[in-house]
Structure formats: C-alpha cells, structure tokens
Amino acid sequence: MTPPKYIPLILFLLLFASQLIFGQIVFKELPRYQMKLSEEEFFDISQTRKIIPLNGIWQVYSANDKEKKRVIVGVPSLFEGDAELVFEKEFSLSIDEINSGRMRLVFLGLNYSADISLNNVIIYRHTGGEVPFHLDLPRDILTSTDKNLLSVQLYYKLDSENTIPVKQRFLFPQNFGGIFRDVYIHLTPNISVSDYQIKSKFTPANNSAQVSINAKIENRAFRTTRNTIPVSTNFNLKASLISPAGTLITFPESTFDLPFNKDKSISQTITVNNPLLWSPALPNSYTAVIELWRGGELIDKTTQPLSIYSLQAEPDSLIFNGENFSIRGVTFIPSYEDFGSMTSYEQMEKDIAVIKETGFNAVRFSKDVPHPYLLALCQRYGLLAFIELPLNAIPANISQEPNFIARSRNYLSNFISAYKKYNVAAVGVGGGFLPEIQNHQLMISSLASQVKSDMDVLTYAAFSKFDLYEIESLDLYGLEIINSILHDDFILIDRLQNDFGRGRIFISEAAYVVNAGHTNGYVNDFSYEAQAKYFEDLIDFSADKKMSGFFINSMFDYRGDFTSIISGYNPERLYNIGVMGEDRSANRLGYSVIYSKLNNTEKVTIPIGSKRDDAPMVFIIFGLALALVIGILVNSGKKFREDASRALLRPYNFFADIRDQRIMSGYHSTILGLVIACIAGLLIGNVLFHLKTNILFEKLLLAFGSPNLLLVFSYLSWHPVLSLVWITDAIIILMLLLTLLIRAASFFVRTRVYISSVFFTVIWSFLPLVLLIPVGIVLYRLLQADVANMYIYLFLLLTFFWCFYRLLKGIYVIFDANLGGVYFYSFLFIVLAAGGILLYYEMINSVISYLKLTMATHNIFG
C-alpha cells in the first residue's frame, strides 16, 4: 500500500505526466456469471426458437499489434482506458442449423464502436454506443465443416465532440470499453415471423383497448436439387392474448400465400373490453402469442408480455388510466463497485425489487443505457420506465454540428429499435439543456419529433435552468435540481406550472450530495440528515402543489470517471449521492424518510441538531506561525526592516541596488521566499477548501476533460493540512523555475545579470503577500460568510497583479532594458504560455465550448 504521505506527490505526477503514460489494458470479468436462460420470454425462446450463447472464452489482441499476440478474456468483460482491440470467438454449427434456421447475432451491449466480421468478411459496422443491437449472419459465409470465426474489432475512446456520451460528463457513471453484456446467436426457422410490433391503446371513456399486431413474415427457405415433392407455400398466422386471469382472446386468423424468398406484412387489430390494466399498484400483463402454421404443422412461435395502460400529459395533470397521476420516481444508475454497470441477472432483479419496495412507482434510467432486462423487470414489478439518450450538457456549437446531429439521430434510431418492444412510458432526449439557447431547442425538437414518429410514448428533456420555452414535440419538461435551496426553486416551479400546466412540468432529478457524513442534525449542510430533510421537503412540496411528479437522484451511490470535488474526495471516484449506498444497505436516514413518506408509515424524525464548525484550525495555526516568523525577521536586525521598507515603498531604488550587487542578505531573502511560498499556499488552501462544495468550480475544471486535474484538486480541496504542504512546495518550485526562466531571458540583453540578482528580484517582488497573513488566517471564515466573496476574490487578484507588476519592474531594472520592451515580451510570453495550454485542451477536449456552456449555465457574464 502506498504511504499516505506520498499520495499528493503521486497525484501531481499524474497530472503533469498523464499524457505521456499509457497503462496496460486490464480486463474485469464477473465471477461465476451465467445467462438466465430460464427467462424464455426475454430471450425469445420457444419450441421453434433457441439461442446459442457465445459468452465465455474469447481471444483478444491489439489491433495495432502486427504479431497479434493473443490473450484469453472472458465475455462479458470490460476494460478501462482507450484502446483498439480485436475480439475473436470460434463456434461450430451443424449443417442442419445452417440450412434450416435463420441466425441473428445479438449483442446486448458493447462499447464503443465496432467492425464485426464473420470468417474474415466484414458484415456489420456498429457506429457507437452501448445500445443493444443485432444483425443477421449470412448463410453463405457460414460453414459446418470447420469452426466459424467471429471477429469484433472494437474501438473505445470517448471524446468531446464525436461520441455519445461526450467525454466531459458531470456526475455521470463510469464508462468502460469492452463486450460487457451477453452475446448469442438467436435461431429462428427459415420461414418465420422475422419482426413484429404489438401496440395497445387504452380508452378510459369506454373502458376498452385497441390491441394491434403488425407482423412481418419471411420465407427464406430455399430449393435444392433433391426437392421432388412441391412444398406448400400456404400459411396461417394465428395471434392471441392470454389475460392475467388466463382468458384467451384471439385475433382473426390470417391465411396467405408466401413464395420462396418473399416476405409479407400482416396487421391485425382487436378490441379488448374491460381489460385488466397494468398499473404500479397492480402490474397485470397479458401474454401475446404469435404462431405461424402451415397446414397442421407449427412453423414458428413467439411470445411477448403486453401491458395495457395509458399515460398522457394534460395541462392540469398527468393522466394515468383516466385518473390524475403523480410520478414518485427515482433515477437508477447501475453501478457495481469497479465493474461499472456489468452485473448478474439476479442482482438486477434485487435492485428493481428494492426500488419497488421503497415505494417508488417510476424509474428513470438516466446518464446510462439500461440493460434490456431491467425494462422487463420494471414491467413485471410495476414501475414506469423512463429511458433517455445519454446526452447531457452539450455545448451550443457542438449540438448543431451536422456530424453530431446525424450521429445523434442515428443513435436515437438504434435506441428506439432496441427498446420499442418493452414497456416504456417515456423517452428522453437528454439533460443539461439550457432553454434560452436556440441550438438546444432545435436539437430537442428534432430528436423528440423522431421519437414521436417511431413510438407512441411521451417525450421529455431535462433542463439546468428554469426559464423554459415551448418546444415542438416535447410533452414533458424536466427540471434538474442539485444541492440548491429548495424553497427558492419551488417559487420558480410554481410559476412554471402556471405557465405550462401542472401536467407538463416535473422534477427530472433532485440530487443532494453528501460529503459531511453523519452529523447531529440537518442544519449541517451536505450531511445525511440534511439529505433526508431535502428529500422530505421535495415530497411534501410535490404533494402540496399537485405536481406531475419528481425523480429523486439517485437510488444508489455510484462511481464515475472523474473524481468529484463536491461529493468529497474518494480514491474510488464514488459519488455519495444515493438514497442507499453502493453496498445497497438501507441504514441511511434519507432512505427511512423516503420509505415512510411513500408508504404512509410512521413519520421518521430528522434531528435539527446544531451547526458544526468545519473551519480547519490548521489555517489559523499556520498563519500565526508565519506571522511569528515574520516578526522574528523584522526584529532580527535593522537591515531587514530597511530592505523591506524600501522594497515595498521604493521598489525602483531597491531593485537598482540588487542590480548593482549592493549587499543583500541571502539568508533573509531565502527565509522570506519560503514564508511567501507558505503564505501563497495558505491563501490558495483557504480558497480551495471553501470551493470544495462549489458546483461551478467543479464544472469549470471538468471542462478541461482531464480526470487527473479533478483528482488533484479534489484531493487538495479536502485535505487542508497536506494541501498547505504541497501547494507551498509547488509555489517554491514555481519560484525557482521563474528564476531560471528570467535568467535565461537575460541572455538577450547586453547587461550582465547574475542569477542571484534574479533570485532576489523574484522573492522581493512578492513581498506584498506578507501583508496578507492576517487575511490568510481568517479567509475561510470570511468566504463562508458569503457576504462579499466577489470583492474578496477581486482583492486577492489585484494583490497578485500588484506583485506581478513589481516583478516586471524588477526585471526592467536589473536588465537595464526598455520598459516597454519588458512589458511587451512578458505579456507575449504569458499569452503564449496560457494560450498554448488552452489551445492544447481545445484541440483534444474542446475546452472553450464547455467553458462557455458552464458560464452560461451559471449566469456568468450575463
């Protein structure tokens, strides 16, 4: 184990060397993982259909490795880090399987993009994302005399402009590469129901439902020279519904002729009177059965659960099955320690069961693409499923780039295709939108229209700000709230309900981050008690205002790719944001409060407590120690007092003495330099400790797209003692580098400049910082008062510019050069250095676009 004292050094090395280090890819596999083949409806298994699992041992090698050095990897599995890898799997098929069945290769999830080859022939290109997809295996490429080779050339790397999700993701779950869900071949007969869609539309007025089946039947049987007896091409399509009570309801039988290599689409509609409706309280589901017959022979059969209900967004309220309805939901972001969203079928069911038992009636799968089995479980347990694209906080310019628009629409098309057969209540087009940005409005309208054209569900989008505008094709407007004062938000929400209608405004996610742990009461911000009070107020407000609903964010703690600052430093990058912990323990007060509220059980008392002072004593002690050192220096002799007075009041004369090699105390200057570095560390440490709960600060750092940058700042913000040490060390190194840089610049002037002169100039230029020792002692308390923070920051900034101005004057004096030239080249160097860093991050992570979006979100400069 690495000793704690070395952790800051490691973090700094990671920050400055991260672009030069390429770690070896390490795969993670679930122990004892098995497909749950007993779920026949989920896998579409019947007496005519079966699957061939392709999980298990695969061979993997780097796509850039000419020698193709292979390693054995289990699938499902995942890996962390950017990579381009080739996954290979050999499998055998009999001649009967190839000739008598149609084979569909199914990937329930891989990440990110992939070229899929069969026996060295590319047959499909997956453009990107974790969305489940399938493809037909060409029969002419398959072989029964030898093993078939399935090859997946997978490329994983998220970036800021070309992937969904993008790289900069605020409080998003961890994203991994790999084939992390089941892979299998689904076998159906040559003559089969190749595609179908079952829809229901419930009409509360007459208590009846229209159920329609649209089926596509294909005849992919083929003649052989051995065929001497004509094969009948007359077929019957029989469809039926089995009610939860066991009643059989049949569709009109369809008889048709289907020649070889032809397909036919058949639509049937029936009316179900007095249907047994699906609801969260009573999740009744019918079973739809579709059978294809030829004479007395069953050719194909498939089944699918069907839930009959209606959900509409009316101006006054959400209407569910003809009655007013309020969403009481929670976001669910599957995260299982360092396995990301990869887990077993049993664990998925346990999680959904816990959500249902807590009292929620809806689940929002946000920031992640859910496993299809989770949607099947929601239908079974009685939870409305809200699913959405993992789009969040997309900069305005990127959101309207033609390539990104096309990529988003293609992603949405695949998304709809993967989930349209499940019991989905609403489809979201993303979150973090700013309603005043026209590009966001256009993007939302375009994607929502696409959803409306393909699915009969509600559409929604989530917004970071509340000044909403009407957007075409959008049914519901979600509001994102995090760590804010709810009472202020409630006033704005009340106004929006009046403008848009109560049925169209809902809280898409209300999050409260915990970084203070357990305290003695909710008056302590960011404690578990404060989180419980936050959710209690939310539920009460939703009931009092008869809102269309809310989603608490989130059910469980989860891990992310970026170390959060506001959530508290955690080396595992765990976000303490859940109603329950990552271990699924129900011991949090917030869970008890929510459970009692949603299930109308005995009220849970949330202690008020007393305010806890979190101001670190180390800042006071450190500041007093520095004041003591300065006092000792001042009283050590007349020479130091005179030098300090002249350096502060008559800097030109003082720097001239340095240039002329007048007597200067190297001992005093060195001590002063160390004190100045400590003062700078004290001031910065105070500011970082204050900003540790500031969302804007985290998002500004996140805009650079560097995980190590957030890792360093999160560590320093939450460790005040060590931050003083390491920031002071960094300032000392910076002062030494600045000395060497100025000394190197002196080669371009005629005057001979000694390095000692440069060293003294650098140190004494920052003498005004000594005056800020009293400020450093009380700075954190001043910032916590939040009375004049802007003026405090402005004061500190002006002091820095004063010191910088003094440094330029000192350079001008010791160089004996033109003042304008010193200013010009210094300014040019700063612009090139800062601009170079900014340009670097702009090229790799589009930092400027994300900085602009962050400032717009938080109303900076307008």
Side-chain angles (χ1 to χ4, degrees):
M1 176 178 282
T2 303
K5 64 180 180 179
Y6 295 127
I7 291 178
L9 178 60
I10 295 171
L11 295 182
F12 276 111
L13 291 175
L14 281 173
L15 174 62
F16 295 111
S18 60
Q19 302 301 326
L20 302 177
I21 299 174
F22 297 89
Q24 184 178 2
I25 296 298
V26 177
F27 283 87
K28 301 173 185 177
E29 305 170 16
L30 285 172
R32 299 179 299 278
Y33 176 84
Q34 289 185 342
M35 294 177 68
K36 195 173 184 180
L37 297 180
S38 59
E39 293 282 353
E40 294 186 350
E41 281 189 353
F42 176 74
F43 287 106
D44 195 11
I45 299 173
S46 68
Q47 55 262 55
T48 64
R49 300 182 171 210
K50 67 176 183 177
I51 67 171
I52 300 175
L54 296 181
N55 290 351
I57 295 176
W58 289 55
Q59 292 189 336
V60 181
Y61 61 89
S62 171
N64 300 316
D65 183 7
K66 295 181 179 179
E67 297 181 4
K68 297 183 178 181
K69 296 178 182 177
R70 292 170 167 81
V71 295
I72 302 300
V73 171
V75 169
S77 62
L78 46 78
F79 62 85
E80 189 172 2
D82 303 338
E84 186 172 1
L85 305 174
V86 178
F87 293 72
E88 291 184 344
K89 174 75 171 181
E90 291 185 336
F91 62 96
S92 299
L93 294 172
S94 67
I95 187 67
D96 183 61
E97 287 174 327
I98 294 176
N99 290 338
S100 64
R102 175 182 179 179
M103 300 188 189
R104 179 171 285 175
L105 179 63
V106 180
F107 287 87
L108 291 186
L110 61 76
N111 203 22
Y112 183 73
S113 59
D115 286 340
I116 300 171
S117 303
L118 178 63
N119 294 330
N120 299 315
V121 178
I122 296 179
I123 57 174
Y124 187 80
R125 175 159 291 170
H126 175 62
T127 53
E130 302 173 84
V131 179
F133 66 95
H134 62 262
L135 60 142
D136 287 336
L137 294 179
R139 183 178 292 167
D140 58 327
I141 300 178
L142 292 167
T143 178
S144 61
T145 59
D146 199 358
K147 288 187 176 182
N148 295 278
L149 178 64
L150 176 64
S151 178
V152 179
Q153 183 167 337
L154 184 144
Y155 178 77
Y156 175 77
K157 181 181 181 181
L158 298 186
D159 65 36
S160 304
E161 297 183 5
N162 301 303
T163 59
I164 299 174
V166 293
K167 185 176 184 179
Q168 287 96 319
R169 309 180 310 286
F170 178 64
L171 294 183
F172 257 59
Q174 223 167 351
N175 197 279
F176 292 98
I179 304 175
F180 62 96
R181 291 181 188 150
D182 296 324
V183 185
Y184 58 91
I185 297 174
H186 187 231
L187 281 78
T188 59
N190 283 324
I191 307 171
S192 63
V193 181
S194 63
D195 192 18
Y196 63 94
Q197 189 170 6
I198 305 173
K199 296 182 179 179
S200 66
K201 185 175 183 180
F202 173 65
T203 306
N206 55 17
N207 195 24
S208 65
Q210 298 290 318
V211 180
S212 62
I213 293 180
N214 299 306
K216 181 181 179 182
I217 298 93
E218 291 186 353
N219 187 347
R220 291 295 176 258
F222 55 94
R223 294 181 183 274
T224 67
T225 56
R226 298 178 181 179
N227 288 137
T228 57
I229 303 175
V231 179
S232 172
T233 57
N234 294 316
F235 299 93
N236 297 80
L237 184 71
K238 300 178 182 180
S240 60
L241 292 178
I242 303 174
S243 74
T247 305
L248 181 66
I249 306 170
T250 59
F251 287 79
E253 187 173 323
S254 298
T255 302
F256 55 92
D257 185 71
L258 186 61
F260 293 111
N261 292 320
K262 298 292 182 181
D263 57 67
K264 186 176 183 63
S265 296
I266 295 176
S267 298
Q268 293 282 5
T269 301
I270 60 171
T271 300
V272 180
N273 295 314
N274 302 316
L276 293 174
L277 299 178
W278 182 95
S279 70
L282 196 61
N284 294 310
S285 288
Y286 289 74
T287 300
V289 182
I290 304 176
E291 297 178 338
L292 183 63
W293 291 78
R294 179 169 56 192
E297 179 188 5
L298 177 64
I299 301 298
D300 190 24
K301 178 181 179 180
T302 182
T303 61
Q304 178 182 316
L306 173 68
S307 300
I308 298 178
Y309 70 93
S310 68
L311 179 63
Q312 297 173 314
E314 300 294 339
D316 294 333
S317 173
L318 278 178
I319 304 297
F320 184 82
N321 291 342
E323 298 179 355
N324 291 343
F325 181 77
S326 179
I327 298 168
R328 300 180 303 176
V330 67
T331 64
F332 178 36
I333 301 172
S335 176
Y336 305 93
E337 297 183 348
D338 55 353
F339 290 101
S341 63
M342 186 174 65
T343 189
S344 66
Y345 287 85
E346 291 73 20
Q347 183 61 52
M348 283 188 276
E349 184 161 10
K350 288 180 182 178
D351 286 348
I352 294 298
V354 167
I355 291 172
K356 182 63 178 179
E357 290 167 3
T358 306
F360 294 110
N361 60 20
V363 179
R364 178 186 172 215
F365 296 96
S366 67
K367 302 179 175 66
D368 193 32
V369 177
H371 194 297
Y373 187 61
L374 289 170
L375 302 184
L377 289 171
C378 285
Q379 182 176 13
R380 184 181 306 168
Y381 278 84
L383 292 165
L384 290 169
F386 283 56
I387 62 174
E388 66 188 66
L389 297 182
L391 286 172
N392 194 277
I394 306 300
N397 60 314
I398 295 176
S399 67
Q400 281 304 300
E401 287 184 356
N403 288 338
F404 192 81
I405 294 173
R407 188 172 291 107
S408 300
R409 292 184 66 87
N410 182 63
Y411 193 104
L412 179 57
S413 178
N414 295 333
F415 190 82
I416 292 172
S417 177
Y419 296 116
K420 65 181 179 181
K421 78 172 188 176
Y422 296 99
N423 185 30
V424 175
V427 174
V429 297
F433 292 110
L434 301 184
E436 73 274 17
I437 295 181
Q438 188 177 13
N439 284 359
H440 281 184
Q441 296 178 30
L442 293 173
M443 182 180 191
I444 293 169
S445 178
S446 173
L447 295 176
S449 298
Q450 185 177 344
V451 174
K452 286 292 187 184
S453 65
D454 294 336
M455 295 181 72
D456 185 20
V457 295
L458 296 179
T459 58
Y460 70 93
F463 298 88
S464 295
K465 295 170 71 174
F466 293 180
D467 48 340
L468 302 181
Y469 297 87
E470 189 80 23
I471 298 177
E472 185 179 357
S473 300
L474 196 65
D475 297 315
L476 298 173
Y477 296 76
L479 307 176
E480 298 175 344
I481 305 174
I482 177 171
N483 291 2
S484 60
I485 302 174
L486 283 174
H487 297 293
D488 293 344
D489 291 325
F490 289 164
I491 295 172
L492 298 174
I493 293 171
D494 200 27
R495 187 184 308 160
L496 285 174
Q497 286 182 312
N498 293 330
D499 294 342
F500 283 79
R502 295 182 185 276
R504 303 188 67 192
I505 302 295
F506 74 109
I507 298 176
S508 58
E509 59 180 64
Y512 195 89
V513 175
V514 174
N515 53 49
H518 292 283
T519 67
N520 65 351
Y522 64 77
V523 294
N524 295 295
D525 294 336
F526 310 114
S527 64
Y528 285 115
E529 293 85 355
Q531 184 194 53
K533 185 67 168 64
Y534 187 89
F535 291 143
E536 182 182 59
D537 290 345
L538 172 71
I539 295 172
D540 289 342
F541 174 82
S542 179
D544 292 342
K545 294 298 182 180
K546 298 181 179 179
M547 291 186 62
S548 60
F550 61 83
F551 285 93
I552 288 173
N553 187 37
S554 66
M555 188 65 207
F556 307 106
D557 290 344
Y558 58 93
R559 304 188 187 194
D561 285 327
F562 294 89
T563 306
S564 175
I565 300 176
I566 63 172
S567 180
Y569 173 76
N570 187 294
E572 305 294 338
R573 294 171 295 190
L574 182 68
Y575 299 157
N576 297 310
I577 198 172
V579 174
M580 302 176 75
E582 187 183 41
D583 60 358
R584 274 58 179 166
S585 173
N587 60 358
R588 291 186 180 177
L589 183 60
Y591 173 81
S592 300
V593 168
I594 293 170
Y595 182 90
S596 69
K597 283 285 184 181
L598 298 183
N599 292 282
N600 295 318
T601 60
E602 185 177 352
K603 178 180 173 63
V604 175
T605 301
I606 308 173
I608 300 175
S610 57
K611 189 72 173 178
R612 185 174 64 182
D613 184 11
D614 67 339
M617 283 298 296
V618 66
F619 291 153
I620 299 175
I621 297 172
F622 195 67
L624 291 175
L626 292 176
L628 180 63
V629 173
I630 289 296
I632 294 173
L633 281 177
V634 170
N635 291 287
S636 63
K638 184 178 179 181
K639 173 65 174 170
F640 180 81
R641 290 195 299 272
E642 290 179 350
D643 288 344
S645 176
R646 291 175 65 245
L648 195 62
L649 302 177
R650 291 177 291 172
Y652 182 91
N653 294 336
F654 181 79
F655 291 131
D657 289 344
I658 291 178
R659 177 196 61 197
D660 297 336
Q661 292 289 291
R662 303 285 173 84
I663 297 176
M664 291 291 297
S665 172
Y667 170 77
H668 283 162
S669 296
T670 302
I671 297 298
L672 179 62
L674 294 174
V675 170
I676 288 173
C678 290
I679 295 170
L682 176 63
L683 295 172
I684 296 173
N686 270 276
V687 171
L688 288 179
F689 194 73
H690 170 69
L691 292 176
K692 67 185 183 298
T693 59
N694 190 289
I695 296 174
L696 172 60
F697 178 58
E698 180 167 328
K699 286 186 176 180
L700 288 174
L701 293 175
L702 180 64
F704 288 86
S706 171
N708 290 322
L709 184 67
L710 274 163
L711 178 68
V712 168
F713 276 94
S714 180
Y715 184 90
L716 295 177
S717 298
W718 286 96
H719 296 82
V721 176
L722 290 175
S723 73
L724 291 177
V725 175
W726 290 101
I727 295 173
T728 298
D729 290 346
I731 297 297
I732 292 173
I733 294 172
L734 187 61
M735 292 173 71
L736 294 175
L737 291 175
L738 190 58
T739 300
L740 295 175
L741 181 64
I742 296 172
R743 177 67 177 88
S746 69
F747 290 116
F748 296 96
V749 297
R750 294 182 179 180
T751 306
R752 186 177 181 182
V753 180
Y754 296 95
I755 192 168
S756 60
S757 299
V758 177
F759 178 68
F760 293 146
T761 300
V762 169
I763 289 176
W764 289 90
S765 294
F766 290 93
L767 181 63
L769 290 181
V770 174
L771 303 177
L772 298 184
I773 291 179
V775 176
I777 295 174
V778 299
L779 180 58
Y780 177 71
R781 293 186 181 276
L782 291 175
L783 293 173
Q784 283 298 91
D786 199 19
V787 176
N789 285 10
M790 185 61 66
Y791 297 102
I792 294 173
Y793 288 130
L794 183 61
F795 170 73
L796 295 175
L797 192 62
L798 289 176
T799 304
F800 167 77
F801 281 127
W802 181 19
C803 294
F804 181 68
Y805 168 74
R806 286 168 51 83
L807 178 62
L808 294 185
K809 179 176 284 189
I811 295 173
Y812 141 69
V813 172
I814 65 174
F815 279 18
D816 196 16
N818 179 270
L819 180 61
V822 171
Y823 286 167
F824 172 77
Y825 287 111
S826 297
F827 177 77
L828 181 62
F829 174 79
I830 293 172
V831 169
L832 290 176
I837 295 173
L838 198 62
L839 179 62
Y840 170 75
Y841 281 105
E842 173 64 18
M843 291 177 64
I844 65 171
N845 290 329
S846 303
V847 62
I848 295 176
S849 298
Y850 285 90
L851 287 173
K852 289 170 62 177
L853 178 70
T854 299
M855 289 187 286
T857 302
H858 293 269
N859 297 316
I860 308 297
F861 306 127

